[in-house]
């Protein structure tokens, strides 16, 4: 059981590495509260699942509205470089969806699984450079595939796109290095 509330632990599939939930709660209380409130309040309208793609999803827009507009998180790109034998080389990282005080948050709702590799590698590099203390990825629970089949939209959200089982496999394979992680899978409990 994670350090989040009982209702969050019942509403989501949660996977923790390196005590990331303890670090978030004990060291970054404001960010813990932001994430806990986001997860408590997150519901996805069934009609929005049925809509066609294109642009940012409604879930991404609602998360940005809450974390960025209301709670002061920012989209963040770190400018990094490597110096070897006195020669400096750029080592760009990917932008983080939402960042606040050493906590990085990514949403992967319906992307190709290669986006997990990008996010985990980014977290690994930034953690090794002491830019972030932990990473959070909010994604789909694999159990939602059954819901999508029942709704007749599985082809839109098929097995080749991002979901929790694929993410956990990448994490167990060392994809994030030593960066502490909180992985949260959105289940059918979030759909209304």
């Amino acid at each position: 059981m994670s350090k989040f509330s009982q209702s969050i632990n019942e509403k989501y599939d949660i996977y923790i590495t390196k005590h990331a939930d303890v670090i978030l709660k004990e060291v970054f209380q404001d960010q813990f509260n932001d994430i806990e409130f986001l997860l408590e309040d997150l519901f996805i309208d069934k009609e929005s699942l049925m809509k066609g793609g294109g642009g940012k999803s409604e879930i991404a827009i609602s998360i940005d509205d809450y974390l960025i507009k209301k709670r002061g998180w920012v989209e963040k790109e770190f400018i990094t470089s490597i110096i070897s034998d006195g020669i400096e080389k750029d080592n760009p990282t990917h932008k983080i969806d939402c960042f606040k005080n050493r906590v990085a948050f990514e949403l992967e709702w319906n992307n190709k699984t290669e986006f997990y590799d990008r996010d985990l590698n980014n977290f690994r590099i930034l953690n090794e450079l002491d830019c972030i203390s932990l990473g959070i990825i909010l994604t789909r629970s694999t159990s939602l595939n059954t819901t999508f089949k029942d709704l007749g939209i599985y082809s839109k959200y098929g097995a080749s796109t991002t979901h929790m089982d694929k993410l956990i496999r990448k994490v167990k394979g060392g994809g994030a290095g030593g960066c502490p992680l909180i992985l949260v899978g959105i289940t059918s409990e979030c759909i209304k």
Side-chain angles (χ1 to χ4, degrees):
M1 177 96 70
S2 78
K3 291 292 182 181
F4 292 111
S5 69
Q6 182 175 345
S7 62
I8 288 174
N9 280 289
E10 292 171 0
K11 185 177 175 183
Y12 298 90
D13 291 336
I14 300 176
Y15 184 85
I16 308 288
T17 69
K18 302 189 180 294
H19 311 287
D21 57 335
V22 175
I23 296 167
L24 184 63
K25 185 170 185 173
E26 299 301 323
V27 180
F28 302 100
Q29 185 68 54
D30 287 344
Q31 290 80 3
F32 178 86
N33 291 339
D34 290 347
I35 297 300
E36 190 164 66
F37 183 83
L38 172 75
L39 295 176
E40 288 279 2
D41 204 40
L42 181 66
F43 287 97
I44 301 166
D45 188 298
K46 197 179 289 187
E47 289 179 18
S48 71
L49 293 176
M50 311 291 270
K51 288 182 187 174
K56 253 189 180 183
S57 69
E58 289 182 21
I59 184 171
I61 291 168
S62 69
I63 288 170
D64 285 353
D65 283 348
Y66 175 68
L67 289 179
I68 293 175
K69 292 180 180 175
K70 294 181 181 167
R71 300 301 305 154
W73 294 60
V74 296
E75 184 180 59
K76 174 80 172 153
E77 183 175 13
F78 289 86
I79 308 301
T80 60
S81 63
I82 297 172
I83 299 174
S84 177
D85 286 336
I87 299 170
E88 185 173 351
K89 298 177 183 176
D90 287 339
N91 181 28
T93 62
H94 189 270
K95 282 184 184 174
I96 295 172
D97 290 342
C98 300
F99 173 83
K100 186 178 182 184
N101 190 25
R102 301 183 54 84
V103 177
F105 177 96
E106 292 283 357
L107 170 66
E108 295 301 348
W109 172 247
N110 192 32
N111 282 320
K112 292 182 171 56
T113 57
E114 291 80 12
F115 282 78
Y116 286 149
D117 297 320
R118 179 203 66 192
D119 295 341
L120 294 172
N121 187 55
N122 207 27
F123 287 168
R124 178 189 59 78
I125 290 169
L126 293 172
N127 181 253
E128 287 173 2
L129 293 173
D130 200 29
C131 297
I132 68 169
S133 295
L134 64 103
I136 303 167
I137 297 178
L138 178 62
T139 192
R140 293 184 354 241
S141 169
T142 303
S143 66
L144 273 183
N145 288 339
T146 302
T147 303
F148 294 156
K149 287 175 185 174
D150 293 345
L151 293 172
I153 57 173
Y154 180 71
S155 60
K156 178 180 174 182
Y157 297 101
S160 66
T161 60
T162 48
H163 58 82
M164 197 74 156
D165 285 358
K166 291 186 177 190
L167 177 56
I168 291 171
R169 239 179 281 136
K170 289 178 181 292
V171 169
K172 286 182 175 180
C179 182
L181 298 172
I182 300 172
L183 311 178
V184 181
I186 298 168
T187 70
S188 59
E189 295 293 314
C190 300
I191 297 172
K192 60 178 181 169

